[in-house]
Amino acid sequence: MAKKTVASLQTSSKRLTKAIKMVKSPKSGAYTFVESVMAPEAVNEWLSKK
């Protein structure tokens, strides 16, 4: 019984991607990392934004 429940939970979950981008601070010039979890289709658009 439990195996069927686990299998159905795995197939109903959404695919998500974690994207990490380096952003340079205009004040100090230091780099910081910005992380976001999103759908795989939205990654390229998010990375191309400044």
Side-chain angles (χ1 to χ4, degrees):
M1 256 336 208
K3 288 184 181 178
K4 287 184 181 179
T5 304
V6 171
S8 67
L9 288 174
Q10 288 177 351
T11 57
S12 66
S13 66
K14 294 182 179 179
R15 280 185 49 213
L16 295 175
T17 302
K18 182 177 185 179
I20 302 171
K21 175 170 52 170
M22 274 181 36
V23 178
K24 188 172 184 177
S25 172
K27 290 183 180 180
S28 66
Y31 285 96
T32 59
F33 294 95
V34 179
E35 299 180 5
S36 182
V37 177
M38 65 193 78
E41 297 83 27
V43 172
N44 288 334
E45 180 184 333
W46 184 75
L47 288 174
S48 65
K49 287 193 307 186
K50 269 201 163 186

